[in-house]
Amino acid sequence: MLRRSLNRLCGGDEKRVDSRTIYVGCRSCPDTEAFIPSKFCDNRIVSSKYTVWNFLPKNLFEQFRRIANFYFLIIFLVQVIVDTPTSPVTSGLPLFFVITVTAIKQGYEDWLRHKADYEVNKYPVTVLEDGRSVKKESERIKVGDVVEVVEDEIFPCDLILLQSTREDDTCFVTTASLDGESNHKTHYTVPDTEKDLLALSATIECEQPQPDLYKFVGRMHIYKAEQEPAVRSLGPENLLLKGATLKNTKKIYGVAVYTGMETKMALNYQGKSQKRSAVEKSINAFLLVYLCILISKAVVCTTLKYVWQSKEGQDEPWYNQKTQKEKDTNMYLKMFTDFLSFMVLFNFIIPVSMYVTVEMQKFLGSFFITWDKDFFDPEIQEGALVNTSDLNEELGQVEYVFTDKTGTLTQNNMEFIECCIDGFQYRHRDEVDGFPVTDGPVSKLQQKAGLEKEELFLRALCLCHTVQVKEDGAEETARDQVDGVDGMFPQPEEERCFIASSPDEIALVKGAMRYGFTFLGLESKSMKIKNRQNDIEEYKLLHVLNFDPVRRRMSVIVQTKSGETLLFCKGADSSIFPRVKPEEVDSIRLHVERNATEGYRTLCVAFKQLSAEEFAVADTGLRDARLALQDREEKLMAIYNQVETGMSLIGATAVEDRLQEEAAETMEALQGAGIKVWVLTGDKMETAKSTCYACRLFQRGTELLELTVRTLEDGRTKREDKLLELLRDYHRRAVQDAPPVKAGVTRSWSTANQEYGFIIDGATLSLLMNPPRDADASLYRSLFLQICQNSTAVLCCRMAPLQKAQIVKMVKNSKGSPITLSIGDGANDVSMILEAHVGIGVKGKEGRQAVRNSDYAIPKLKHLKKLLLAHGHLYYVRIAHLVQYFFYKNLCFILPQFLYQFFCGYSQQPLYDAAYLTMYNICFTSMPILAYSLLEQHMSIEVLLDNATLYREIAKNAMLRWRPFLYWTVLGIFQGLMFFFGVRFLFSNPALQDNGQVFGNWSYGTIVFTVLVFTVTLKLALDTRHWTWINHFVIWGSLAFYVFFSFFWGGIIWPFLKQQRLYFVFANMLSSVSAWLVIIILILLSLLPELLLVVLRKPRGPHSRQMKRRLPSSGTSTIFMLSQTASSHSFSWSD
């Protein structure tokens, strides 16, 4: 029972067969039926992560799961409990700062989610109760309530449509926030329901909640006095989904079937989890290595201390007698406390300040994206937005890009380009005096025949569609509501506004208007059109044979005033050509193929005159099939195929879905950078495939491997068997028989090999993810992934939002754990945006849910190129250098401290003064690396954008692998040894001062520290390729500050210090010429290997010739141009 309750709460499982029974209006059931009321969840939506009560413990738990935070907490507690050489403040303060800043940031983000939930849950809705319309808050809707929704309102839960104000008992909705399609979809009321809903007595039996947007099965029992209950089937066409919007319908009433977290929209919502970058994982790995070094140092020192003290006279010399308390202390406890003291003494090898610097670098670095004036879009008067600064460097490591199509790759704007009628090409802008452009000479007979066919073709365009004329036509500037954008074809005599259920249908109706045939609208099953002579023609609409992805065509059956019954059909060429007369095909095929290669969406148009007997059979068959409870789809398909045969081909159309600005160039640049692009869309396959060709993801020579419902339809074998057979066949062609591709070879250089494009739809993916029980699920997924990885591009169409997230998750968790990026503009893309390592929202026309849930938001797709290839590349290089540099400089810092223990009897005596220990990472060496990590450009942005292949050089975390880490570690050990033993060699001369006095241990440590600070700072100066005045200021300023601080700290007697170790030590040290000489020589010797590497290392790689172009000239400085306007900031580099 508990499991069932949890399943119900969490959305359950597609495979469940149990159903729910709902009483319409929540009234008691008639005595004839047994009805047990069920408990359903309320209509509250919860997307937040924390509550007031669990925020503190839950957030602290999440933060202390990070190795670094937990480690510093332990060190802080040790310093508090045990008597250690350093103060607890040195580790406690930075830890408190990092934890507090992170908690405030995450708390604010969750507060915004609470605020959004509150707005949704408190939204006022109208519910019918006891014959009255009652205003309620959305969260108080219960399953079974009859809800009233008016035009342009969003449905507050999943409803079954009971009543509509439209005469034909339909309503129109847009589902942009669910599947990305903002075109209008038609939904139908349940037949035979009472007009007076108060008198309606009915129960609904339907499946339990599941996330598939396109699937719904149920039935409705309608009870009438002294009659047998009527049973009506329910399908997706009766279900209105939460999040969809009512359009072109004044008012509807519907009964709530799924509420709150059980709605299909909620089941498709992927909860927001904290994302971690690959760099952070590398830091954790390096941290473990340095932790092992730290522990081994502490163990060695503790062991050698007790070995040394075991010698006679060493444990208790005459000048340092033990107290009674020390003598009574347990030896093992003393060894343990000594071990902890050494841990604290060497603790500075783990750079706590690195995490503060990394946080600052990420936070400040994110402003460069916000300020970049290239990201500013004048149309919406907005620039880029950074919601999460934690992932800046991940932008430079992307291996897979998952993109939505509608509104992301395209502008949601279809344009009629040309048509072909009976072999004649009609291109609107190429016409001269009304004559079409043709491929050959035109005889008078052909001209006459063409004109007859012309009118028939234009009538077909005006009748074969599901377009509606907007009822509110009195607006001054009417707009076509399809895919959320304006129509592009103004009508001179009158402005018309259309809505449609398919994105290309308005374009076709507008195309017919260009040639004199205007669709006037549908009223009471009567379609009216105006012909070239301005006469009104009226047709009775008898049936609509809807489009589906298997048939790939749609038809209408209409009746003329003279009584003739006509069938008009339009669809894909592969679907129409086998159903028309063969002799008619050749004249059209040439145009269709040419248009398809140009990336246009092509449709063929055919017609058929039905006899009275043919129509009677078709009419009876269609009515019976639509009422069937079992196998409804199969029965409808059989009737459709029976009617749509023996047609006459009239012509073809070419429609272009306008791409986003520079979409093709952006996709080419990403593929040149070695990034694989997958298109995940809820749209139809034909439209999506056409877009992929236009974006150059599929080329003319690309062989398409299709794994869709259509390819699985085989009467001889089961779908599951056919799926496995196709997978193995595609795997053999794309993987086994394909020659190996050399690393670094771009697509344009490997055209000799066959390129493959892979296409899969949502239904097939469902079958692939949930194969039969006796099948090997891992085999299906493994074959699928290998085929996809060997394809140049992958197209996934008819995807539900959760399926998009499943695809991303599957690739993300595949071998090698590739870095993934998802980009989309609609609420249907939120799940995949949250699932990917990096989520990008496009500020499109489908609301701002994608932007709110994304890590980064950009106005247009074209901005993705610069975001990844320039910003991402530079961010990664900067932070990788920052991480390696921090570990290196702290190793240089603490290695002399470790070596010093061998010369001080392992007494835990610090080599450096406490002020130096505290200030080293906070003041003396922090600002130069922070400036470097914000401003460094090892290559100019222009070069990075022009040469996409440079992105490959840093792929797969190249700068934070073990080899470069080992190089930095060896360099740190070499320089640490040089510092300590170089100064020790100096101290072998007893007379270092003019008066013959010797230096003490604090002078020793100060000389080592001086060499250390100058060496690590100059090392960074050697690594800097792009000098700005800021770099000069912080590098030379840090060194000057160190000298000033040392003089100041040692030159004054501070009253609050119990002991002043450095009083006049620094000034006294610099009075020795020997000390000066050793400091200069040791700095030069320490940097010598680095200087030799820079001089002797030859440039490598195919881009070495561009080295001069890569590096911005070191003599110039970067000027920040920050101009604040009312709406945006702009940022640019200029020399």
Side-chain angles (χ1 to χ4, degrees):
M1 186 67 189
L2 178 63
R3 182 181 296 176
R4 184 173 173 182
S5 301
L6 286 171
N7 276 344
R8 179 174 294 175
L9 186 66
C10 300
D13 186 346
E14 276 193 57
K15 293 184 177 179
R16 288 184 306 164
V17 293
D18 53 336
S19 59
R20 59 168 56 188
T21 306
I22 300 151
Y23 196 79
V24 178
C26 302
R27 291 194 297 273
S28 58
C29 187
D31 298 333
T32 54
E33 294 286 329
F35 176 67
I36 303 170
S38 303
K39 288 187 178 179
F40 304 114
C41 72
D42 58 24
N43 200 37
R44 276 182 304 165
I45 291 292
V46 181
S47 63
S48 55
K49 191 175 179 181
Y50 305 108
T51 65
V52 175
W53 309 109
N54 72 9
F55 173 72
L56 204 59
K58 193 172 181 180
N59 187 266
L60 288 176
F61 173 73
E62 285 181 353
Q63 291 208 57
F64 284 117
R65 283 168 62 191
R66 295 170 76 171
I67 296 174
N69 289 347
F70 184 70
Y71 166 77
F72 291 124
L73 178 65
I74 297 297
I75 291 295
F76 172 70
L77 293 174
V78 168
Q79 287 178 297
V80 169
I81 297 165
V82 181
D83 183 20
T84 56
T86 54
S87 166
V89 177
T90 55
S91 59
L93 200 60
L95 177 65
F96 177 76
F97 174 75
V98 171
I99 294 293
T100 305
V101 169
T102 308
I104 290 170
K105 187 177 88 169
Q106 292 178 355
Y108 175 71
E109 287 174 353
D110 203 62
W111 176 75
L112 292 178
R113 287 194 285 271
H114 271 284
K115 191 178 173 184
D117 289 345
Y118 183 85
E119 288 176 5
V120 171
N121 293 331
K122 298 297 180 183
Y123 187 81
V125 294
T126 306
V127 177
L128 291 187
E129 283 185 359
D130 302 324
R132 293 178 299 112
S133 294
V134 179
K135 284 284 184 185
K136 274 187 177 182
E137 293 170 347
S138 175
E139 64 182 2
R140 294 176 59 197
I141 294 175
K142 302 188 298 291
V143 171
D145 281 348
V146 177
V147 181
E148 176 188 305
V149 181
V150 298
E151 186 171 10
D152 292 326
E153 269 192 354
I154 294 172
F155 299 117
C157 55
D158 290 352
L159 304 168
I160 292 293
L161 180 59
L162 297 177
Q163 200 176 94
S164 169
T165 53
R166 292 183 64 87
E167 293 180 4
D168 55 0
D169 289 333
T170 64
C171 75
F172 294 96
V173 303
T174 58
T175 56
S177 63
L178 295 166
D179 59 10
E181 294 186 46
S182 42
N183 44 33
H184 288 58
K185 295 180 174 64
T186 308
H187 287 257
Y188 302 90
T189 58
V190 182
D192 302 330
T193 52
E194 299 280 351
K195 291 296 178 188
D196 181 11
L197 291 178
L198 295 174
L200 177 65
S201 177
T203 57
I204 292 173
E205 191 180 344
C206 63
E207 62 187 356
Q208 289 289 4
Q210 50 98 357
D212 192 336
L213 297 177
Y214 309 107
K215 184 180 173 188
F216 177 75
V217 176
R219 56 187 173 190
M220 187 169 178
H221 300 261
I222 303 170
Y223 304 100
K224 295 185 179 177
E226 300 176 0
Q227 291 184 22
E228 282 291 316
V231 181
R232 293 290 174 260
S233 63
L234 303 175
E237 69 277 4
N238 308 116
L239 184 68
L240 306 171
L241 300 177
K242 178 183 176 70
T245 307
L246 183 67
K247 291 288 183 183
N248 208 34
T249 310
K250 289 179 181 176
K251 187 192 296 181
I252 65 101
Y253 292 95
V255 58
V257 285
Y258 304 128
T259 51
M261 300 307 286
E262 291 184 339
T263 58
K264 289 185 182 288
M265 186 178 85
L267 295 180
N268 275 284
Y269 177 77
Q270 190 89 352
K272 193 161 190 175
S273 59
Q274 203 167 4
K275 296 179 179 180
R276 301 265 183 244
S277 71
V279 168
E280 192 170 325
K281 292 170 187 170
S282 295
I283 292 174
N284 289 341
F286 297 162
L287 199 68
L288 287 173
V289 172
Y290 272 69
L291 196 57
C292 292
I293 294 173
L294 171 63
I295 293 169
S296 60
K297 281 182 176 182
V299 168
V300 167
C301 286
T302 308
T303 306
L304 290 178
K305 176 177 181 176
Y306 282 91
V307 169
W308 185 73
Q309 287 183 354
S310 65
K311 295 175 184 177
E312 190 176 346
Q314 300 287 14
D315 186 28
E316 194 176 0
W318 61 269
Y319 57 83
N320 192 16
Q321 295 289 319
K322 289 184 178 179
T323 62
Q324 190 59 40
K325 185 180 178 183
E326 287 175 328
K327 289 178 181 178
D328 294 340
T329 305
N330 182 283
M331 182 182 173
Y332 292 107
L333 181 61
K334 185 74 173 73
M335 287 177 72
F336 181 65
T337 55
D338 279 333
F339 170 75
L340 291 179
S341 294
F342 278 119
M343 285 281 287
V344 170
L345 185 64
F346 302 143
N347 165 52
F348 294 93
I349 196 173
I350 307 292
V352 62
S353 61
M354 178 179 72
Y355 288 89
V356 181
T357 309
V358 165
E359 287 289 329
M360 289 176 68
Q361 190 268 353
K362 289 182 174 183
F363 174 70
L364 296 173
S366 62
F367 285 105
F368 290 113
I369 294 175
T370 311
W371 290 334
D372 193 329
K373 65 181 182 182
D374 289 341
F375 291 159
F376 183 77
D377 183 38
E379 187 181 336
I380 59 172
Q381 288 293 303
E382 288 184 46
L385 178 69
V386 179
N387 293 326
T388 308
S389 59
D390 294 342
L391 303 169
N392 293 344
E393 67 279 3
E394 208 81 328
L395 294 169
Q397 293 294 296
V398 174
E399 295 174 59
Y400 284 85
V401 167
F402 299 92
T403 174
D404 178 40
K405 182 192 77 71
T406 312
T408 305
L409 288 175
T410 66
Q411 296 180 10
N412 291 348
N413 196 355
M414 290 277 192
E415 182 184 5
F416 183 88
I417 300 297
E418 65 176 62
C419 60
C420 165
I421 307 172
D422 199 24
F424 290 76
Q425 179 188 358
Y426 288 70
R427 198 174 182 93
H428 187 65
R429 56 178 171 269
D430 292 341
E431 286 186 30
V432 181
D433 298 329
F435 288 101
V437 177
T438 61
D439 291 335
V442 185
S443 67
K444 290 182 180 180
L445 183 64
Q446 283 177 320
Q447 276 188 337
K448 188 177 180 182
L451 290 172
E452 289 174 0
K453 285 268 181 123
E454 205 176 279
E455 295 206 344
L456 185 62
F457 177 82
L458 294 172
R459 284 191 181 93
L461 292 189
C462 282
L463 296 171
C464 188
H465 54 70
T466 55
V467 173
Q468 297 283 331
V469 177
K470 178 78 172 171
E471 291 173 354
D472 185 12
E475 298 176 12
E476 288 183 13
T477 54
R479 297 186 305 167
D480 302 317
Q481 298 181 359
V482 54
D483 285 10
V485 297
D486 300 354
M488 295 303 296
F489 309 109
Q491 182 71 0
E493 70 257 16
E494 58 176 320
E495 295 285 347
R496 307 198 65 79
C497 182
F498 297 117
I499 57 174
S501 60
S502 179
D504 57 350
E505 290 199 320
I506 282 182
L508 295 179
V509 172
K510 288 279 190 178
M513 286 173 67
R514 286 176 170 177
Y515 300 104
F517 274 73
T518 305
F519 174 62
L520 300 178
L522 172 68
E523 293 178 13
S524 304
K525 297 288 184 181
S526 176
M527 300 180 83
K528 294 179 181 177
I529 61 175
K530 183 165 69 173
N531 61 24
R532 284 173 169 171
Q533 289 75 37
N534 287 330
D535 297 329
I536 306 297
E537 298 179 8
E538 196 168 323
Y539 297 85
K540 184 180 180 183
L541 180 62
L542 302 174
H543 287 287
V544 176
L545 281 56
N546 287 320
F547 180 91
D548 69 71
V550 178
R551 285 168 57 241
R552 300 205 298 170
R553 60 186 181 275
M554 69 89 62
S555 301
V556 293
I557 301 175
V558 296
Q559 191 175 55
T560 64
K561 277 193 172 181
S562 60
E564 289 182 329
T565 306
L566 303 174
L567 177 139
F568 290 105
C569 178
K570 72 169 188 276
D573 55 322
S574 57
S575 174
I576 298 288
F577 285 168
R579 298 182 169 273
V580 299
K581 296 163 187 172
E583 62 271 15
E584 297 173 336
V585 171
D586 294 336
S587 60
I588 307 288
R589 189 191 300 274
L590 180 68
H591 296 275
V592 171
E593 289 177 351
R594 179 178 54 78
N595 288 332
T597 56
E598 290 172 358
Y600 297 138
R601 167 94 159 92
T602 58
L603 289 174
C604 294
V605 181
F607 105 108
K608 177 184 179 181
Q609 188 165 347
L610 297 175
S611 64
E613 295 78 13
E614 285 177 316
F615 173 69
V617 172
D619 183 56
T620 306
L622 286 168
R623 291 182 188 279
D624 291 344
R626 283 181 179 139
L627 290 175
L629 289 174
Q630 302 293 328
D631 303 326
R632 186 191 305 177
E633 305 263 333
E634 288 78 2
K635 289 176 181 176
L636 280 171
M637 195 73 67
I639 302 296
Y640 290 168
N641 289 333
Q642 182 183 326
V643 177
E644 295 168 332
T645 51
M647 298 183 290
S648 297
L649 186 62
I650 319 171
T653 62
V655 174
E656 181 184 24
D657 187 359
R658 288 189 173 183
L659 290 179
Q660 286 277 9
E661 191 181 345
E662 297 178 29
E665 291 80 358
T666 303
M667 292 298 107
E668 276 195 326
L670 294 182
Q671 289 190 322
I675 299 171
K676 290 195 174 285
V677 181
W678 292 32
V679 179
L680 311 183
T681 178
D683 214 338
K684 301 181 183 71
M685 187 183 80
E686 289 75 22
T687 313
K689 195 199 296 185
S690 176
T691 303
C692 286
Y693 275 112
C695 285
R696 302 174 202 160
L697 292 172
F698 294 160
Q699 301 282 359
R700 189 176 298 183
T702 304
E703 184 179 340
L704 299 183
L705 308 177
E706 192 178 318
L707 201 64
T708 60
V709 173
R710 192 167 58 86
T711 57
L712 295 184
E713 288 296 331
D714 187 346
R716 294 166 294 176
T717 56
K718 288 170 64 180
R719 272 190 178 188
E720 294 82 359
D721 298 335
K722 184 69 175 175
L723 174 62
L724 188 58
E725 179 190 325
L726 281 172
L727 279 172
R728 283 181 169 147
D729 177 44
Y730 294 162
H731 184 268
R732 178 182 53 77
R733 288 154 64 183
V735 182
Q736 295 172 4
D737 297 347
V741 179
K742 294 179 182 177
V745 176
T746 59
R747 173 182 187 163
S748 58
W749 297 337
S750 58
T751 48
N753 301 329
Q754 176 61 55
E755 291 185 351
Y756 293 98
F758 190 64
I759 302 174
I760 188 170
D761 62 7
T764 311
L765 181 72
S766 224
L767 193 63
L768 192 137
M769 300 293 279
N770 304 293
R773 291 183 181 178
D774 55 343
D776 183 2
S778 60
L779 174 65
Y780 280 77
R781 294 185 191 186
S782 173
L783 289 172
F784 170 69
L785 265 176
Q786 288 180 52
I787 295 166
C788 291
Q789 287 165 351
N790 277 51
S791 302
T792 52
V794 178
L795 167 61
C796 305
C797 46
R798 303 307 287 173
M799 291 279 142
L802 203 59
Q803 286 182 312
K804 292 183 177 184
Q806 285 175 339
I807 287 268
V808 176
K809 187 175 183 179
M810 183 164 60
V811 173
K812 190 170 81 169
N813 296 334
S814 64
K815 186 179 178 182
S817 301
I819 303 299
T820 56
L821 179 147
S822 293
I823 179 168
D825 69 321
N828 62 306
D829 304 314
V830 168
S831 291
M832 75 168 183
I833 283 172
L834 293 173
E835 184 61 56
H837 291 96
V838 183
I840 310 280
V842 177
K843 297 179 178 181
K845 300 175 183 177
E846 294 181 7
R848 288 298 170 96
Q849 277 186 288
V851 170
R852 281 199 300 269
N853 287 277
S854 65
D855 303 307
Y856 302 89
I858 51 178
K860 295 278 177 63
L861 176 77
K862 66 176 181 178
H863 300 136
L864 185 64
K865 178 181 174 182
K866 187 175 184 184
L867 188 67
L868 296 187
L869 302 191
H871 286 283
H873 188 119
L874 292 174
Y875 278 134
Y876 175 75
V877 170
R878 291 164 182 166
I879 203 164
H881 200 283
L882 181 150
V883 170
Q884 299 278 28
Y885 178 79
F886 250 100
F887 280 110
Y888 146 79
K889 76 183 180 73
N890 277 41
L891 183 58
C892 292
F893 177 45
I894 222 65
L895 184 60
Q897 175 74 74
F898 170 67
L899 295 171
Y900 185 60
Q901 297 306 305
F902 290 87
F903 299 91
C904 70
Y906 312 100
S907 60
Q908 297 149 20
Q909 168 67 31
L911 176 63
Y912 313 114
D913 182 69
Y916 285 162
L917 283 171
T918 306
M919 303 281 280
Y920 176 71
N921 279 318
I922 294 176
C923 298
F924 300 149
T925 59
S926 60
M927 291 309 294
I929 185 60
L930 179 61
Y932 176 95
S933 65
L934 289 172
L935 305 174
E936 174 63 3
Q937 288 186 55
H938 64 301
M939 305 182 199
S940 69
I941 287 176
E942 292 76 19
V943 170
L944 290 172
L945 291 176
D946 291 343
N947 300 278
T949 48
L950 292 173
Y951 193 84
R952 297 171 182 231
E953 294 181 4
I954 58 163
K956 297 189 180 294
N957 211 8
M959 293 182 67
L960 286 174
R961 289 183 184 164
W962 291 109
R963 188 172 173 180
F965 173 72
L966 188 63
Y967 164 76
W968 283 92
T969 304
V970 169
L971 183 65
I973 292 171
F974 165 75
Q975 292 184 352
L977 291 169
M978 184 70 70
F979 302 156
F980 185 81
F981 289 107
V983 177
R984 188 169 182 274
F985 175 75
L986 167 71
F987 271 61
S988 62
N989 176 10
L992 291 173
Q993 300 187 65
D994 295 339
N995 58 9
Q997 291 182 352
V998 295
F999 281 159
N1001 67 312
W1002 295 114
S1003 297
Y1004 187 98
T1006 303
I1007 296 174
V1008 171
F1009 193 78
T1010 303
V1011 176
L1012 163 71
V1013 170
F1014 273 79
T1015 302
V1016 297
T1017 306
L1018 292 174
K1019 160 77 173 105
L1020 190 65
L1022 282 174
D1023 289 340
T1024 303
R1025 296 285 179 272
H1026 184 50
W1027 283 93
T1028 69
W1029 67 266
I1030 298 174
N1031 294 93
H1032 283 291
F1033 177 77
V1034 294
I1035 286 177
W1036 313 124
S1038 291
L1039 295 177
F1041 174 74
Y1042 164 67
V1043 174
F1044 170 78
F1045 175 83
S1046 298
F1047 274 117
F1048 185 70
W1049 182 248
I1052 298 174
I1053 298 175
W1054 300 98
F1056 55 83
L1057 293 178
K1058 292 179 183 177
Q1059 52 191 12
Q1060 195 152 344
R1061 298 162 174 167
L1062 286 191
Y1063 184 66
F1064 251 80
V1065 166
F1066 193 74
N1068 201 33
M1069 176 192 81
L1070 293 184
S1071 67
S1072 169
V1073 177
S1074 301
W1076 275 92
L1077 188 62
V1078 164
I1079 289 171
I1080 293 169
I1081 289 173
L1082 285 179
I1083 291 171
L1084 292 173
L1085 286 175
S1086 299
L1087 293 174
L1088 185 62
E1090 191 69 16
L1091 289 166
L1092 289 173
L1093 272 174
V1094 170
V1095 172
L1096 299 176
R1097 184 168 49 194
K1098 293 180 180 177
R1100 292 181 292 112
H1103 307 286
S1104 57
R1105 293 177 186 173
Q1106 298 173 352
M1107 190 58 71
K1108 287 186 179 179
R1109 281 189 65 210
R1110 285 189 186 191
L1111 310 178
S1113 59
S1114 57
T1116 61
S1117 63
T1118 301
I1119 301 168
F1120 290 81
M1121 297 174 64
L1122 306 179
S1123 60
Q1124 187 171 358
T1125 64
S1127 60
S1128 69
H1129 296 280
S1130 67
F1131 163 80
S1132 70
W1133 298 101
S1134 66
D1135 289 335

